[in-house]
């Protein structure tokens, strides 16, 4: 269960689709490897189409090998049952918006920040071999043994004891009074055809693994379900489940048996999850045809059997109750090819590749070579002596098998084919299973490729190269199949390279590859930190042109020239401290933005960032303090205190949007404190010391005090320039608020201009003659000497 706080709730999926993806917070999850939602928007659109009110998520599809993203809400809970997911490692990621700009290097990432918490609760049966909501249904493991096949009988069908026929013979004359009916006495030749989604092709093999249920007969009543499990330990072309015995056991000999041709024994198969009638990978009526699973994945498969009695009414099949049980025994057979061979007829060449490590700082960076070429420093190997050759078919298949080690699920599988001429190859990849023309995960050739969210292919107009990445490839065994023309007398050399890398395309040479590990500390992953002009998961998206970059640099640096206005005024008034402050602020801001745009860094980026924000904060606050003409001792004390506060703001959270309000509040507090100190010392405004209980007289004193205050402020400031100062300060705050990733450069340039201009208006609003003019001497009588003059 996932829970989060801080996001505005989206009411429905239509609102989620209309919401800008760059501002749409998402929770993404993926089985087997970390999700990368920026690669393609196809899976995002599919996820939003399944998104329903209040953030619940469901569906009848297996999610074990795809990405799923859900818009993040204030309170979100996601429940994934074992019908939707498979056992294994699952990765969850929170993404604050999508799009190439999200990965672009920039000074400030504008937008909403979210605080969220996630709790994951896993519920399951603590005992192996049981399942169900109450953990009271058993799963029986099928024991297997290895056997060889008679060389004269290579087809898997020939190994069966009989061919399967229909069950119309189940009700036999003269046997209605028997309690048990044995149904294996009469067999008919089977006409092979497609049954449900079950393939009907049998393969040839050289070795065979046979699995039988330990119970001689398993019995099922109508609607009951028995589940068995078998482990496929190696890559194979198929496995076949067939019945060896089938009987109907009736509980009462006096009941009418009816038409037993309507009795079905359904079989369902599912990889790594419990199969149900409504949710399975393969199914068939096994009483009429074997269950055939082509190209099964390596791992645990679950086989379910269910007895069903159906009657036809008004053209539709309806289930009816069957008063009795259907007993059966079955056999599972897995054909295996000898070493170096693969395919349905074990005729194609198969090669196992070994991993060779690179001398790189990137964890798991490696390449794969055939066993015969281990020790070579060249990552590529020639295909000339490895390809299959057949004189029967026009094209041939060659398979390569290799393992991605544990902990490398965040790495990328890079495959490349190069030739002297245009390649007439099809490259197919599949995880944990033997691929076929109809069963694969990713595909690429010289002209087309599969469209998948975790697949990245490069374009090559010459057709001499096939180059693609499988992003965040899952840990385990992978199969690459080459569909190619016959290799006879091939005069062109073709090489193949398979790498396990970090960032795809080396971040397109527009960024730096960064390495990290997930929160569990068990899986490595990498990501691209793009430069200022590019974005995307591989930095292939140009967000700013070279000309646009120059214009942004000019605006951001040259706009700091507005600092000349307050600096010149401070110098003219001989306010040297303020002059140094404004001059330093403008210079440091220009140097910082030049460094941020990748032009030149006179100091480290973090030092320049601190100086820019700290001096900007100090320039705003010092403007307010200067407006209170207090003595130097008091001004130094206030300046020192505010320097500490603004330095803390610049170090702990310089880029927070709330800082402008905090700085203005600090400056206002410093101004009020300065006025208080000035008025209390010089008595610029008369305030009565005693509290008069006479109400009319008290109001008269208060009115007199307010009038004195207004007269003092009128003498102190030019009100037009003071209003202009507040107006430009409001514009600066608006520019700060409007800053976004795409428009940061223009609004931040206006911020420079408006904030320095507001300081100039505030300083210029001070009446300088009031502070410089000499006070008139107080009237004093002439002192006379009363002593008598001496002569």
């Amino acid at each position: 269960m996932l829970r989060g706080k801080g996001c505005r709730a989206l009411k429905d999926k239509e609102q989620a689709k209309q919401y800008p993806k760059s501002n749409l917070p998402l929770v993404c999850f993926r089985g087997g490897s970390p999700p990368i939602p920026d690669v393609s928007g196809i899976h995002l659109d599919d996820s939003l189409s399944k998104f329903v009110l209040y953030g619940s998520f469901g569906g009848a599809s297996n999610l074990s090998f795809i990405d799923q993203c859900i818009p993040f809400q204030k309170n979100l809970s996601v429940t994934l049952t074992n019908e939707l997911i498979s056992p294994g490692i699952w990765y969850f990621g929170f993404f604050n918006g999508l799009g190439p700009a999200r990965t672009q290097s920039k000074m400030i990432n504008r937008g909403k920040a979210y605080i969220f918490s996630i709790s994951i609760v896993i519920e399951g049966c603590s005992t192996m071999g049981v399942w169900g909501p109450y953990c009271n249904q058993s799963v029986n493991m099928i024991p297997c043994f290895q056997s060889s096949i008679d060389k004269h009988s290579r087809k898997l069908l020939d190994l069966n004891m009989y061919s399967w026929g229909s069950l119309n013979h189940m009700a036999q004359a003269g046997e209605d009074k028997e309690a048990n009916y044995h149904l294996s006495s009469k067999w008919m030749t089977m006409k092979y055809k497609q049954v449900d989604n079950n393939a009907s092709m049998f393969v040839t093999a050289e070795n065979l693994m046979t699995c039988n249920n330990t119970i001689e007969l398993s019995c099922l009543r109508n609607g009951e379900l028995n589940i068995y499990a078998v482990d496929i330990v190696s890559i194979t072309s198929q496995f076949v489940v067939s019945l060896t015995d089938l009987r109907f056991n009736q509980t009462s000999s006096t009941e009418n048996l009816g038409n037993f041709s309507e009795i079905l024994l359904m079989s369902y198969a599912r990889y790594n999850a419990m199969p149900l009638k409504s949710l399975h990978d393969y199914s068939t009526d096994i009483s009429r045809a074997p269950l055939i699973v082509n190209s099964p994945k390596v791992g645990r498969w679950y086989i379910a059997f269910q007895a069903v009695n159906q009657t036809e009414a008004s053209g539709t099949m309806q289930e009816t109750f069957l008063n009795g049980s259907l007993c059966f025994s079955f056999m599972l057979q897995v054909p295996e090819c000898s070493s170096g061979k693969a395919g349905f007829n074990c005729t194609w060449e198969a090669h196992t590749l070994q991993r060779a490590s690179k001398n790189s700082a990137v964890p798991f960076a490696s390449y794969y070579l055939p066993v015969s070429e281990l020790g070579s420093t060249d990552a590529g190997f020639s295909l000339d002596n490895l390809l299959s050759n057949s004189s029967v078919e026009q094209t041939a298949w060659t398979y390569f098998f290799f393992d991605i080690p544990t902990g490398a699920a965040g790495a990328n599988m890079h495959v490349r084919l190069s030739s002297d001429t245009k390649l007439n190859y099809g490259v197919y990849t599949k995880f944990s299973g033997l691929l076929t023309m109809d069963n694969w995960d990713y595909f690429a050739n010289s002209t087309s490729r599969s469209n998948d969210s975790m697949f990245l292919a490069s374009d090559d107009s010459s057709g001499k190269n096939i180059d693609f990445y499988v992003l965040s490839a899952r840990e385990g065994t992978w199969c690459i199949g080459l569909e190619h023309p016959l290799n006879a007398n091939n005069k062109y050399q073709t090489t193949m390279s398979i790498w396990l890398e970090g960032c795809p395309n080396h971040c397109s040479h527009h960024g730096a590859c960064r390495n990290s590990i997930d929160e569990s500390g068990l899986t490595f992953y990498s990501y691209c930190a793009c430069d200022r002009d590019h974005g995307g998961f591989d930095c292939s998206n140009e967000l700013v042109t070279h000309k646009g970059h120059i214009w942004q640099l000019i605006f951001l640096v040259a706009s700091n020239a507005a600092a000349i206005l307050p600096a010149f005024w401070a110098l003219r008034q001989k306010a040297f401290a303020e002059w140094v402050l404004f001059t330093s602020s403008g210079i440091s801001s220009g140097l910082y933005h030049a460094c941020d745009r990748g032009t030149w860094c006179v100091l480290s980026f973090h030092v320049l960032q601190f100086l820019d924000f700290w001096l900007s904060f100090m320039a705003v606050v010092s403007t307010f303090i200067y407006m209170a003409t207090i003595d130097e001792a008091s001004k130094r004390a206030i300046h020192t205190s505010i320097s500490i506060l603004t330095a803390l703001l610049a170090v702990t959270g310089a880029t927070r949007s709330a800082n402008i309000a905090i700085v203005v509040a600090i400056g206002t507090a410093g101004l009020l404190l300065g006025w208080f100190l000035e008025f209390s010392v010089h008595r610029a405004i008369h305030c009565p010391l005693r509290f008069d209980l006479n109400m009319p007289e008290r109001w008269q004193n208060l009115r007199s005090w307010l009038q004195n205050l207004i007269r003092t402020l009128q003498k102190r400031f030019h009100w037009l320039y003071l209003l202009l100062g507040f107006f430009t300060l409001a514009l600066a705050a608006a520019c700060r608020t409007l800053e976004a990733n795409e428009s940061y450069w223009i609004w931040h340039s206006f911020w420079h201009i408006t904030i320095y201009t507001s300081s100039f208006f505030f300083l210029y609003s001070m009446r300088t003659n009031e502070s410089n003019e000499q006070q008139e001497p107080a009237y004093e009588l002439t002192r006379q000497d009363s002593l008598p003059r001496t002569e």
Side-chain angles (χ1 to χ4, degrees):
M1 180 175 294
L2 306 179
R3 297 187 183 276
K5 296 181 179 180
C7 296
R8 181 173 62 88
L10 301 176
K11 295 182 179 179
D12 52 31
K13 64 182 181 182
E14 295 302 327
Q15 182 181 358
K17 289 183 177 181
Q18 296 175 1
Y19 202 78
K21 291 182 180 180
S22 59
N23 299 326
L24 181 64
L26 296 172
V27 175
C28 298
F29 51 93
R30 176 179 170 85
S33 61
I36 310 178
D38 290 303
V39 178
S40 173
I42 297 176
H43 71 282
L44 177 59
D45 295 335
D46 293 340
S47 298
L48 292 179
S49 64
K50 298 176 183 178
F51 173 70
V52 293
L53 193 61
Y54 304 123
S56 61
F57 185 84
S61 61
N62 192 336
L63 311 180
S64 59
F65 197 51
I66 56 176
D67 307 59
Q68 292 296 326
C69 294
I70 302 175
F72 203 74
Q73 295 188 314
K74 188 173 183 179
N75 291 296
L76 172 67
S77 63
V78 181
T79 302
L80 301 175
T81 66
N82 61 345
E83 299 175 1
L84 296 175
I85 62 174
S86 300
I89 300 176
W90 281 79
Y91 295 85
F92 294 81
F94 177 78
F95 299 90
N96 190 359
L98 298 179
R102 187 176 66 85
T103 57
Q104 183 190 23
S105 175
K106 46 194 168 290
M107 183 190 73
I108 303 175
N109 187 2
R110 292 301 183 191
K112 294 183 178 179
Y114 301 99
I115 300 175
F116 66 95
S117 61
I118 296 179
S119 62
I120 301 176
V121 179
I122 301 176
E123 298 179 356
C125 300
S126 58
T127 305
M128 295 290 293
V130 295
W131 73 289
Y134 303 102
C135 297
N136 57 354
Q137 297 173 268
S138 62
V139 177
N140 302 311
M141 290 296 300
I142 310 175
C144 302
F145 60 91
Q146 194 77 25
S147 62
S148 60
I149 300 178
D150 187 358
K151 295 182 179 179
H152 299 287
S153 178
R154 299 187 63 185
K155 285 189 177 182
L156 201 59
L157 178 61
D158 298 335
L159 301 175
N160 294 334
M161 296 171 55
Y162 40 73
S163 298
W164 301 108
S166 66
L167 292 180
N168 291 327
H169 61 277
M170 290 178 62
Q172 307 226 358
E175 297 179 349
D176 291 347
K177 295 182 180 181
E178 296 293 332
N180 298 312
Y181 293 86
H182 194 282
L183 304 181
S184 60
S185 58
K186 181 181 178 181
W187 303 103
M188 300 176 63
T189 303
M190 172 185 172
K191 182 178 180 180
Y192 299 104
K193 60 181 180 179
Q194 189 83 5
V195 180
D196 293 339
N197 62 338
N198 184 29
S200 59
M201 180 176 61
F202 288 95
V203 304
T204 61
E206 299 178 359
N207 298 304
L208 188 70
M209 184 177 70
T210 304
C211 308
N212 296 89
N213 56 329
T214 55
I215 304 176
E216 182 179 356
L217 285 177
S218 301
C219 296
L220 295 174
R221 296 181 64 85
N222 183 50
E224 289 183 344
L225 196 70
N226 272 10
I227 295 183
Y228 300 84
V230 63
D231 290 329
I232 305 298
V233 296
S234 61
I235 292 180
T236 183
S237 56
Q238 69 177 202
F239 68 79
V240 180
V241 182
S242 56
L243 293 180
T244 57
D245 198 0
L246 181 64
R247 303 180 183 184
F248 176 69
N249 179 21
Q250 186 170 339
T251 58
S252 174
S253 61
T254 61
E255 295 183 1
N256 185 16
L257 299 178
N259 186 5
F260 292 101
S261 63
E262 299 166 355
I263 301 176
L264 307 177
L265 181 62
M266 296 300 299
S267 179
Y268 311 106
R270 192 177 180 195
Y271 174 69
N272 222 7
M274 298 300 171
L276 302 173
K277 181 180 179 180
S278 59
L279 187 60
H280 52 265
D281 296 335
Y282 299 87
S283 69
T284 188
D285 176 8
I286 200 171
S287 58
R288 288 174 168 79
L291 175 67
I292 304 173
V293 177
N294 290 321
S295 300
K297 291 184 177 181
V298 175
R300 179 157 295 183
W301 282 82
Y302 292 90
I303 313 296
F305 297 91
Q306 187 175 31
V308 178
N309 184 27
Q310 295 184 339
T311 59
E312 186 172 356
S314 302
T316 60
M317 300 300 293
Q318 297 179 347
E319 296 183 7
T320 61
F321 181 76
L322 173 65
N323 189 11
S325 59
L326 200 61
C327 300
F328 64 94
S329 61
F330 66 92
M331 175 176 59
L332 186 147
Q333 295 172 319
V334 184
E336 296 178 346
C337 299
S338 61
S339 177
K341 296 294 181 179
F344 279 100
N345 296 319
C346 297
T347 56
W348 305 126
E349 297 294 331
H351 306 278
T352 300
L353 304 181
Q354 298 293 328
R355 189 169 66 94
S357 299
K358 289 183 178 180
N359 294 326
S360 173
V362 180
F364 298 106
S366 53
Y367 56 93
Y368 292 87
L369 295 173
V371 178
S372 59
E373 298 189 22
L374 283 180
S376 173
T377 58
D378 189 3
F381 55 91
S382 176
L383 293 177
D384 295 339
N385 299 323
L386 302 177
L387 298 179
S388 301
N389 193 9
S390 173
S391 59
V392 178
E393 302 181 24
Q394 296 297 323
T395 59
W397 283 84
T398 303
Y399 295 98
F400 297 92
F401 302 99
F402 57 94
D403 291 329
I404 292 182
T406 301
N412 305 305
M413 182 175 70
H414 183 194
V415 180
R416 183 176 184 181
L417 269 71
S418 301
S419 179
D420 299 332
T421 185
K422 186 174 181 179
L423 285 169
N424 189 19
Y425 283 51
V427 185
Y428 299 81
T429 61
K430 183 180 179 181
F431 173 73
S432 189
L434 185 69
L435 59 86
T436 64
M437 180 70 74
D438 302 320
N439 192 340
W440 45 266
D441 295 331
Y442 308 101
F443 160 75
N445 59 20
S446 59
T447 58
S448 62
R449 58 191 60 88
S450 61
N451 188 8
D452 191 271
S453 63
M454 303 297 288
F455 186 75
L456 176 66
S458 301
D459 294 325
D460 182 21
S461 58
S462 66
K464 297 181 180 181
N465 298 291
I466 300 176
D467 196 342
F468 63 87
Y469 285 85
V470 176
L471 304 176
S472 296
R474 303 181 68 178
E475 304 165 357
T477 302
W478 281 82
C479 173
I480 294 181
L482 301 181
E483 183 190 17
H484 56 86
L486 299 181
N487 197 32
N489 300 323
N490 190 357
K491 61 180 180 179
Y492 299 105
Q493 184 178 6
T494 303
T495 59
M496 184 176 184
S497 303
I498 303 175
W499 296 277
L500 194 62
E501 296 180 347
C503 300
N505 290 332
H506 304 286
C507 297
S508 304
H509 305 288
H510 296 301
C513 187
R514 305 288 174 82
N515 305 312
S516 185
I517 57 175
D518 68 341
E519 288 297 324
S520 66
L522 301 177
T523 302
F524 147 81
Y525 67 94
S526 61
Y527 61 94
C528 288
C530 305
D531 59 25
R532 279 93 175 156
D533 301 335
H534 295 81
F537 71 99
D538 60 344
C539 302
S540 60
N541 296 81
E542 186 182 33
L543 303 180
V544 182
T545 63
H546 178 69
K547 185 177 181 181
H549 178 94
I550 294 176
W551 279 111
Q552 291 185 13
L553 177 64
I554 292 175
F555 269 78
L556 287 171
V557 175
S559 59
N560 288 283
I564 296 176
L565 295 175
F568 176 76
W569 191 95
L571 180 62
R572 185 176 180 181
Q573 300 300 318
K574 298 183 180 181
F576 298 111
E578 284 73 12
W579 170 70
V580 172
L581 188 59
F582 286 114
T583 303
S584 301
S585 176
I587 294 175
S588 64
S589 180
L591 294 175
Y592 168 59
H593 286 289
C595 178
D596 179 64
R597 301 310 297 174
T599 304
W600 178 58
C601 294
V602 64
L603 295 172
S604 67
F605 177 82
H606 295 290
V607 172
L608 290 175
Q609 185 183 58
F610 170 77
L611 288 176
D612 177 39
F613 281 89
W614 179 56
L615 292 175
S616 298
F617 295 160
M618 283 297 298
V620 174
V621 174
S622 297
T623 302
F624 286 94
I625 297 177
Y626 183 82
M627 296 170 68
T629 55
I630 56 178
D631 60 279
E632 290 298 324
S634 301
K635 185 177 292 188
R636 285 196 301 269
I638 296 177
H639 263 294
T640 303
S641 302
I642 291 177
S643 298
I644 297 173
L645 292 177
T646 53
L648 290 175
L649 286 177
V651 169
T652 57
T655 61
R656 289 181 302 182
S657 298
N659 280 345
I660 184 64
I662 297 175
V663 169
V664 171
I666 293 176
T668 304
L671 175 61
L672 296 178
L673 179 61
W675 281 354
F676 174 77
L677 294 176
E678 179 184 355
F679 295 156
S680 62
V681 173
H682 298 288
R683 293 284 181 171
I685 301 176
H686 173 71
C687 183
L689 297 178
R690 64 184 181 87
F691 183 75
D692 197 346
L693 296 179
N694 189 351
M695 185 62 67
E697 187 175 352
R698 184 167 56 180
W699 281 111
Q700 183 68 24
N701 293 333
L702 180 60
R703 186 175 63 178
S704 177
W705 180 81
L706 290 175
Q707 290 175 351
N708 292 333
L709 176 62
I710 293 173
R711 282 196 298 268
T712 303
L713 293 178
Q714 287 177 344
K715 294 179 181 179
R716 181 67 60 84
F717 299 105
H718 294 286
W719 285 93
L720 176 61
Y721 297 108
L722 189 64
L723 293 177
L724 289 175
F726 282 111
F727 176 74
T728 51
L729 182 62
L731 289 180
C735 293
R736 187 80 171 185
T737 305
L738 292 174
E739 288 178 2
N741 293 336
E742 298 81 6
S743 59
Y744 165 79
W745 64 278
I746 184 66
W747 290 116
H748 197 72
S749 299
F750 281 122
W751 152 265
H752 291 157
I753 297 173
T754 52
I755 196 66
Y756 286 126
T757 305
S758 66
S759 296
F760 169 74
F761 282 136
F762 281 129
L763 295 176
Y764 197 77
S765 66
M766 297 285 294
R767 292 184 182 271
T768 56
N769 58 339
E770 293 294 332
S771 59
N772 296 332
E773 67 180 1
Q774 297 295 329
Q775 297 290 336
E776 294 182 0
Y779 176 78
E780 183 180 4
L781 293 176
T782 303
R783 182 178 179 181
Q784 297 182 0
D785 191 357
S786 59
L787 295 177
R789 296 176 181 262
T790 59
E791 295 181 355

